[in-house]
Amino acid sequence: MKKAPELSQTREQITSLDKDLLALLAKRRELSLDVARSKEVDVRPIRDTQREKELLERLVQQGREQGLDAHFVISLYQSIIEDSVLNQQAFLHGRANPEIQQQQSTIAYLGARGSYSYLAASRFCQRRQVEMIDLGCQSFDEIISSVELGHADLGFLPIENTSSGSINEVYDVLQHTSLSIVGETTIEVGHCLLTKNNAELEQIKTVFAHPQPISQCSQWLSQHPNLTLAYCSSSAEAMQQVIDADDDSVAAIGSSEGGALYQLSATEKGLANQKINQSRFIVVARKAVAVPSQLPAKTTLIMATGQKPGALVEALLVLKAHNINMSKLESRPIPGTPWEEMFYLDVDENLANHDMQQALKELERLTRFIKVLGCYPCETVKPTQLNSSQLVIEPNSSKAPNKTASDNLDAPKHSKLYRQEQTIIETKQCAIGEKDLVALQQMTLTDTDDLFAAKVKQVKESGYQGVLLQASSTDNLSPLNLKNYCHIVEQAGLFSAIEVDSVSSFDIAVKSADMVYLAGKAMFDKELLDAAGAISKPVLLERNTMASTSDWLTAADRVLTTGNQQLILVEAGIRSFTNPEQLSLDLAGLIAIKHQCHLPVIVNTSYAVNSPLLHQQAIAVKQLQANGLILNEQQLAEADDQHHLLHELHQ
């Protein structure tokens, strides 16, 4: 038998390999800058996603030959590609703006060394190979003032967090400054309980923290009600308070990286409410910067619309008309003007672009005030993905009998080019997507259990197959209430769906109902779409009233790509230019969707159809080969005999 090597020898070999790997990664990064220099001459886009896909596919195959898992290879190289893209962007942005290319820069940030703002600023400077002279500040106003007066070259301001949302104080100070936004950066926020002398959790009585981390760690803190919270102006101040304390019964919430600067130990890790917790920072300077055309750009605007119905909608339709994507919209009150709002917008477009310039001219005519706060490189690098056939090793016998030769795995997942067969969703002995039209009644949860049970029985007797439940208040969304309502629906022999419009209500619905119904106003919520893609229950995706069919199918593809293939589309009405206050069913859009998409489509008449026209509209929907219909209680109370209508629909 071969003798096992000594553990120390194995560890030495691993250490040597790690050193070689780091040297190779550094060499690869240098070569990526050579690529950037070439793109500067040829003026080519910073990313070539087709080449990235080919690269990943080749690496996955080579990794398999070495016994490496495909997902491990993908994850590793997605990080390498992201680093390469961001370094190339930083290089080209610096070349286009030589005045910002300094060997040293004074950076103003919130708190002291060790704060999250300090960590974000440090990484920003490291990527640009700039030596950072740090200037800690006690407030956002002080950061702005330091840059305005020339005491600092750049200022770092936290603008939003994936857990606690936007930071309103920063939006407020942006109203009154002449500074320009010249960059952004996003960092992972790993909240830890930091203690000195390796103190254990049981010893801790007081926790120092900035209000934002306290909000982001609220669930963990609620599980430890014995802890006294002490608010600080920054995470760095919280850590300093622990160092200055006379005993070991105090702790701070901060990053392990920041805690190491103060020689504090991370006693508890992963305190944040969300597993993925990121903070986005904006970078401000006295002068605006130019963004090369090959870089993905973001422009931030501030505007005030008139106080008339639909004023904001009119402004946003200008962006849609010029095919400009808005990635963020935030409103803040205008000081001294009660009940009026100032709107902040992030749009994914370069300020120098012709469409952007035309949109700004139109917005100037529509708004009372508009100002560009800055145009800067977008640092959100969307990972390149491979399709499932490229990730999974299929045996020779698995030449999918249910697929035809015309299936195109590179086509969008909603498309009939990707899957020729019509998708059928089965639940409670009901098949949605087959020839028979399925009917659901939309019900608001306001009744007692007995009255609700009587209504559900009547719904079943009328010929319905399912019930769409809407909560009238947050009380109805309690897990116990919803589970009870769904049990009543199940006893009646119907399937249940619960409408949700946020991640917080999503988990409750998944545990209670047979299906989850994503309301149209949440159609652009990427976090909610990802959550829908991660469950094994059918999902109904309602079209947003302002969404095109393309937007709708893009949202559907996000769910399908995440994993869940049990998806049903719901047309519930859109707003038109001729009558923006009244929803109307997009029957032409329904025809187009049925032509190009293999997913079932249901029409919800609850919002766009008046009761006198319900019968004719329902028959039209059936003739256009929709797979289902949703009717509400009020419509049916005002319409003709619903028994006759449902009987005709089921013929």
Side-chain angles (χ1 to χ4, degrees), residues 600-612:
V601 184
I602 287 178
V603 175
N604 188 343
T605 64
S606 303
Y607 313 108
V609 179
N610 296 323
S611 300

Side-chain angles (χ1 to χ4, degrees), residues 262-299:
Y262 290 82
Q263 297 182 326
L264 297 177
S265 304
T267 301
E268 296 277 326
K269 295 184 178 181
L271 307 189
N273 299 341
Q274 297 181 4
K275 291 182 179 179
I276 299 177
N277 188 25
Q278 298 177 327
S279 284
R280 175 176 167 240
F281 293 78
I282 54 173
V283 188
V284 293
R286 289 183 293 280
K287 292 183 179 180
V289 292
V291 182
S293 60
Q294 65 259 60
L295 269 61
K298 185 178 290 184
T299 299

Side-chain angles (χ1 to χ4, degrees), residues 454-523:
K455 283 187 175 182
V456 170
K457 181 180 179 183
Q458 186 178 8
V459 168
K460 173 66 175 177
E461 292 172 349
S462 298
Y464 289 89
Q465 288 78 45
V467 172
L468 170 60
L469 303 174
Q470 288 183 311
S472 60
S473 69
T474 54
D475 295 336
N476 296 120
L477 274 177
S478 71
L480 184 60
N481 281 352
L482 284 182
K483 190 172 183 180
N484 189 39
Y485 283 125
C486 292
H487 180 64
I488 293 172
V489 172
E490 183 179 22
Q491 284 185 318
L494 301 169
F495 67 82
S496 60
I498 295 177
E499 180 176 320
V500 300
D501 58 13
S502 66
V503 174
S504 59
S505 58
F506 180 84
D507 292 338
I508 300 173
V510 171
K511 295 175 183 176
S512 305
D514 299 310
M515 297 185 180
V516 179
Y517 186 104
L518 301 190
K521 62 182 178 181
M523 194 198 86

Side-chain angles (χ1 to χ4, degrees), residues 286-509:
R286 289 183 293 280
K287 292 183 179 180
V289 292
V291 182
S293 60
Q294 65 259 60
L295 269 61
K298 185 178 290 184
T299 299
T300 299
L301 312 171
I302 180 173
M303 69 182 186
T305 59
Q307 279 197 311
K308 64 175 184 178
L312 177 60
V313 173
E314 285 182 4
L316 298 183
L317 285 174
V318 170
L319 300 178
K320 180 177 176 62
H322 290 278
N323 198 30
I324 297 173
N325 179 57
M326 180 181 67
S327 54
K328 186 173 179 63
L329 174 66
E330 192 73 30
S331 65
R332 292 296 296 155
I334 301 175
T337 311
W339 316 120
E340 290 196 34
E341 302 286 320
M342 188 79 77
F343 296 100
Y344 292 82
L345 296 83
D346 286 344
V347 298
D348 298 331
E349 191 57 83
N350 196 317
L351 185 61
N353 181 277
H354 175 73
D355 283 336
M356 187 68 200
Q357 288 295 319
Q358 290 299 112
L360 283 175
K361 290 178 182 178
E362 293 181 36
L363 288 172
E364 286 172 359
R365 294 197 296 267
L366 289 174
T367 58
R368 292 193 294 116
F369 169 82
I370 186 167
K371 176 186 175 183
V372 175
L373 293 179
C375 178
Y376 46 96
C378 175
E379 292 210 357
T380 301
V381 181
K382 186 178 180 182
T384 300
Q385 303 286 355
L386 297 183
N387 62 46
S388 56
S389 69
Q390 294 166 318
L391 291 175
V392 179
I393 303 174
E394 297 181 1
N396 294 333
S397 60
S398 67
K399 297 197 176 180
N402 61 335
K403 291 184 180 179
T404 67
S406 61
D407 286 347
N408 181 358
L409 294 177
D410 290 324
K413 295 206 169 193
H414 69 267
S415 169
K416 286 183 177 178
L417 295 174
Y418 181 84
R419 173 182 173 140
Q420 278 197 334
E421 294 182 355
Q422 176 72 23
T423 292
I424 298 173
I425 312 297
E426 297 183 356
T427 181
K428 290 286 190 296
Q429 290 80 49
C430 180
I432 302 174
E434 290 189 334
K435 185 177 180 181
D436 292 338
L437 186 129
V438 176
L440 297 86
Q441 184 166 133
Q442 183 171 292
M443 301 180 67
T444 304
L445 303 179
T446 57
D447 304 317
T448 63
D449 287 359
D450 291 341
L451 185 55
F452 179 75
K455 283 187 175 182
V456 170
K457 181 180 179 183
Q458 186 178 8
V459 168
K460 173 66 175 177
E461 292 172 349
S462 298
Y464 289 89
Q465 288 78 45
V467 172
L468 170 60
L469 303 174
Q470 288 183 311
S472 60
S473 69
T474 54
D475 295 336
N476 296 120
L477 274 177
S478 71
L480 184 60
N481 281 352
L482 284 182
K483 190 172 183 180
N484 189 39
Y485 283 125
C486 292
H487 180 64
I488 293 172
V489 172
E490 183 179 22
Q491 284 185 318
L494 301 169
F495 67 82
S496 60
I498 295 177
E499 180 176 320
V500 300
D501 58 13
S502 66
V503 174
S504 59
S505 58
F506 180 84
D507 292 338
I508 300 173

Side-chain angles (χ1 to χ4, degrees), residues 148-208:
E148 287 177 338
L149 295 174
H151 299 153
D153 299 302
L154 301 173
F156 271 73
L157 296 164
I159 197 73
E160 61 181 323
N161 177 269
T162 54
S163 177
S164 56
S166 298
I167 301 173
N168 292 330
E169 302 98 303
V170 174
Y171 282 105
D172 292 340
V173 299
L174 289 174
Q175 284 190 30
H176 312 292
T177 181
S178 59
L179 300 180
S180 293
I181 303 176
V182 298
E184 68 171 357
T185 190
T186 301
I187 66 168
E188 294 287 339
V189 177
H191 289 313
C192 305
L193 188 71
L194 304 172
T195 64
K196 61 180 180 179
N197 300 325
N198 294 311
E200 297 297 328
L201 176 60
E202 293 74 18
Q203 300 174 247
I204 305 304
K205 297 178 182 178
T206 303
V207 175
F208 293 95

